[in-house]
Amino acid sequence: MQRKTRLNMFIDRRRFIKIGAQTALFSVFPVSAIASVDRLLAPKRNLSLFNTHTGQKLDVCYYAQGQYRPEALKKINYILRDHRTEEIKPIHKGLLNLLHSISMTLERPPQIHIISGYRSPETNAELREKSKYVVKNSLHLKGKAADIRIPGTDARWLRNVCMKLKSGGVGYYRKSDFVHVDIGYVRYW
């Protein structure tokens, strides 16, 4: 017989309580009430970000009660802007959720250092001239990629964690000591 871990027991207990609450609500309230309870029970998603080029920090809850928080998204878009041109574009929510998933793999959610978030077409073209690793149609142009590092964490280990998530592309840049993550198709380099 397989022993349950504390986490599995917590999840089982939590699921049991949730199902009980939903059953009770369903007998008294319409289905829309149950949907609102699900939103209230949805966990919060937080990010702690540091832009290595601007020195700006952001600790923010970008998702709560089943909804993305517009003011938090604006702040994230700003800190992940193209620091060369100061151009700001929306960062895809899927990328934010990926960064959140990465941070949740550690015992204590870390501050994620952003080397590159959104890139303007001008910046991407400039970087392409300097490096063979910058592609013409980079997902950075769409707010769907970030180059990251986590202080005190080995970049190879971070790469392996990101690969296990199978959420998109993962690139490891040993010399520059960072990992590229994106929400495109799953691939590694």
Side-chain angles (χ1 to χ4, degrees):
M1 183 173 178
Q2 185 179 9
R3 293 178 60 191
K4 289 189 175 188
T5 65
R6 291 180 98 183
L7 177 62
N8 286 342
M9 288 173 48
F10 174 74
I11 291 170
D12 289 346
R13 190 176 321 129
R14 189 176 190 187
R15 188 176 298 133
F16 177 76
I17 292 168
K18 183 177 176 182
I19 290 169
Q22 286 177 333
T23 303
L25 283 172
F26 185 69
S27 64
V28 179
F29 298 104
V31 174
S32 62
I34 294 171
S36 65
V37 168
D38 275 345
R39 279 196 305 276
L40 290 173
L41 293 175
K44 292 181 179 182
R45 297 180 200 154
N46 300 304
L47 284 172
S48 180
L49 305 170
F50 174 77
N51 186 311
T52 61
H53 296 285
T54 65
Q56 294 167 315
K57 297 176 184 179
L58 177 65
D59 291 309
V60 67
C61 174
Y62 70 93
Y63 181 89
Q65 296 180 335
Q67 296 183 353
Y68 290 92
R69 303 172 84 189
E71 284 305 310
L73 296 178
K74 284 182 187 177
K75 291 176 182 178
I76 291 170
N77 294 342
Y78 181 74
I79 201 164
L80 271 74
R81 72 191 181 281
D82 183 332
H83 70 275
R84 292 171 179 86
T85 65
E86 293 297 314
E87 190 173 338
I88 301 169
K89 291 287 182 175
I91 301 300
H92 196 279
K93 293 169 187 162
L95 179 62
L96 302 181
N97 293 333
L98 174 57
L99 294 174
H100 174 74
S101 295
I102 292 165
S103 73
M104 296 309 293
T105 63
L106 301 171
E107 280 183 33
R108 191 174 58 105
Q111 184 178 69
I112 298 173
H113 284 203
I114 303 295
I115 289 94
S116 181
Y118 167 72
R119 274 192 216 143
S120 67
E122 297 80 18
T123 295
N124 200 67
E126 184 182 308
L127 293 174
R128 261 190 99 210
E129 290 177 12
K130 298 176 183 176
S131 172
K132 65 181 179 180
Y133 297 109
V134 178
V135 295
K136 184 177 183 178
N137 295 316
S138 170
L139 290 175
H140 285 279
L141 295 163
K142 299 175 183 177
K144 294 182 176 183
D147 297 335
I148 64 171
R149 78 171 57 104
I150 297 176
T153 302
D154 180 66
R156 288 175 299 194
W157 180 86
L158 180 58
R159 173 203 56 196
N160 293 339
V161 164
C162 296
M163 288 170 59
K164 286 179 185 174
L165 292 172
K166 296 184 180 187
S167 296
V170 178
Y172 171 54
Y173 296 90
R174 183 181 57 80
K175 288 182 180 178
S176 300
D177 191 40
F178 72 82
V179 175
H180 166 97
V181 293
D182 66 51
I183 54 171
Y185 61 91
V186 177
R187 66 217 184 280
Y188 313 113
W189 64 95

